[in-house]
Amino acid sequence: MMMRVFKAAAGAVATAALLATALSGAQAADYKEEYKVSTVVPAPFPWGLAAEKWVELVRERSDGRINMKVYPGAQLVSGDQTKEFSAMRQGIIDMAVGSTINWSPQVKELNIFSMPFLMPDHAAIDALTQGPVGKELFDIIEKRGVVPLGWAENGFRELTNSKRDIKTPADLNGLKIRVVGSPLYLDTFTALGANPTQMSWADAQPALATGAVDGQENPLSIFTVAKLQNVGQKHVTLWGYVADPLIFGVSKRVWDTFTPEDQDLLRKAAQDAGTYGIEVARKGITEKDDSTLKEIEGLGVTITRLSDAERQAFVDATRGVYEKWAKEIGPDLVKTAEESVANRKK
């Protein structure tokens, strides 16, 4: 009698195990053969490296069940990087490691990172992304149809040009500066007396080479990898006027097809890839490690480091832009950001 009960129980356990395996297999069968991950720039840029690390970690941790592939150059949206977020919402793009700047046309609150001179150092960026501002932004993004998983970093955007050293706002008068497709950037450079020109990064490099534009603003990792000194960019000004955090995101339509276990796997992999990406983005441009700055100077490029008084002149010149956009973004969010920066741990 006891033996029959034991065999029946064992059979039930085996049946349950087979059923679980079958359900797991059925779920895996519903997964796509490949998930497309959109980025603007590839490896060896820090942006591309963070995306590739995410792909690698997910593949390893899922034992190859979840296969992702990075598509750089915003090629999934025909090169128009500002359409990336909308394409994810619609399920046209599965996933992305996206710029807060490029997503800001659809999520106006992301303009917080482009508020001129809000963030004076890396600790300030961390205070925003890892604090209440970051949490609120993630809540907003998810309500718009994209599930945000973690932060990476493109870095502080420094100014370069082919004409002269920039030490004062007056030095920018009349210079044609390539900027990203955001009205806030147009307002900022117009306030500084420059002639801002919006264009994609793909169009920017040939425009610099031909002199159609005089300069651009981007993280120094872009400068070194893209070798901007070869397209006339011989003057760099370190002013850290805005930064460009990156977000690992998944289309809500795609996200809902994953099991809770795989959702957790994707999130943790994104966070680990983000930590790696931030380390790469900051390498060589800090007080403890200025190797990238020395490398750039070794290329015959002049680097201008602003004094506190010189930087303040730029702050004053763009204050009207800051106040205008504080209303656009939301005064409460801006106030929270200012408090987070003021209370940051340096």
Side-chain angles (χ1 to χ4, degrees):
M1 179 68 177
M2 291 297 294
M3 182 61 70
R4 286 199 300 272
V5 172
F6 176 78
K7 288 182 177 179
V13 171
T15 300
L18 287 171
L19 180 60
T21 300
L23 289 172
S24 175
Q27 178 66 50
D30 291 338
Y31 285 6
K32 294 184 178 183
E33 291 185 7
E34 176 189 284
Y35 291 93
K36 293 179 170 61
V37 182
S38 177
T39 69
V40 172
V41 294
F45 296 97
W47 191 337
L49 290 172
E52 293 288 359
K53 176 62 74 172
W54 188 26
V55 169
E56 174 190 328
L57 291 175
V58 170
R59 183 182 298 116
E60 289 177 355
R61 295 175 185 181
S62 69
D63 295 322
R65 289 184 301 104
I66 303 174
N67 181 43
M68 297 153 60
K69 182 178 178 181
V70 176
Y71 287 80
Q75 60 183 283
L76 299 178
V77 283
S78 302
D80 188 346
Q81 55 215 56
T82 62
K83 293 182 178 179
E84 185 178 73
F85 187 85
S86 295
M88 264 201 299
R89 290 181 64 183
Q90 298 165 13
I92 298 171
I93 292 176
D94 301 317
M95 308 172 178
V97 181
S99 160
T100 53
I101 300 170
N102 293 335
W103 291 7
S104 65
Q106 291 79 43
V107 186
K108 68 177 182 179
E109 293 85 355
L110 289 176
N111 282 297
I112 193 74
F113 298 107
S114 297
M115 290 285 276
F117 302 101
L118 169 63
M119 298 166 287
D121 50 37
H122 288 120
I125 301 175
D126 296 338
L128 297 189
T129 60
Q130 306 306 315
V133 169
K135 184 179 184 305
E136 183 172 346
L137 291 174
F138 270 24
D139 289 342
I140 292 169
I141 290 168
E142 186 155 5
K143 289 176 182 176
R144 305 280 171 84
V146 172
V147 180
L149 306 182
W151 296 94
E153 195 168 295
N154 196 25
F156 276 111
R157 300 178 76 88
E158 312 294 9
L159 180 64
T160 79
N161 81 97
S162 61
K163 299 296 185 182
R164 52 184 174 265
D165 296 341
I166 305 297
K167 295 183 178 180
T168 70
D171 293 329
L172 272 166
N173 283 343
L175 288 186
K176 293 173 289 186
I177 304 295
R178 176 266 174 180
V179 297
V180 294
S182 163
L184 177 45
Y185 286 75
L186 287 176
D187 287 352
T188 298
F189 279 89
T190 299
L192 291 170
N195 179 13
T197 303
Q198 290 184 347
M199 62 179 66
S200 70
W201 179 242
D203 293 332
Q205 289 172 285
L208 292 167
T210 61
V213 293
D214 301 312
Q216 59 89 54
E217 45 76 56
N218 251 314
L220 291 180
S221 59
I222 299 289
F223 188 100
T224 55
V225 177
K227 300 180 179 179
L228 294 187
Q229 74 279 1
N230 292 339
V231 289
Q233 300 302 285
K234 296 295 186 179
H235 306 272
V236 174
T237 297
L238 302 181
W239 62 344
Y241 83 120
V242 300
D244 185 17
L246 306 173
I247 299 174
F248 293 83
V250 181
S251 168
K252 183 69 164 58
R253 299 184 184 189
V254 173
W255 181 254
D256 289 341
T257 66
F258 289 109
T259 64
E261 293 77 14
D262 284 338
Q263 289 176 350
D264 187 55
L265 184 156
L266 284 161
R267 190 184 304 277
K268 289 181 177 177
Q271 291 169 352
D272 290 342
T275 298
Y276 164 75
I278 290 170
E279 290 175 356
V280 174
R282 297 181 184 182
K283 184 178 180 181
I285 58 172
T286 64
E287 290 184 5
K288 293 181 179 179
D289 174 16
D290 64 351
S291 56
T292 296
L293 300 178
K294 290 179 179 177
E295 176 188 347
I296 292 172
E297 288 178 314
L299 298 171
V301 175
T302 301
I303 294 182
T304 299
R305 296 165 172 83
L306 300 179
S307 67
D308 290 343
E310 288 171 334
R311 187 175 186 275
Q312 188 60 45
F314 286 96
V315 174
D316 295 341
T318 56
R319 192 61 195 177
V321 176
Y322 187 102
E323 292 172 352
K324 171 189 173 181
W325 279 88
K327 297 175 184 176
E328 294 280 340
I329 295 166
D332 291 342
L333 182 61
V334 173
K335 182 179 179 182
T336 301
E338 291 170 345
E339 291 172 348
S340 296
V341 169
N343 297 326
R344 70 193 183 281
K345 294 181 180 180
K346 298 182 181 179

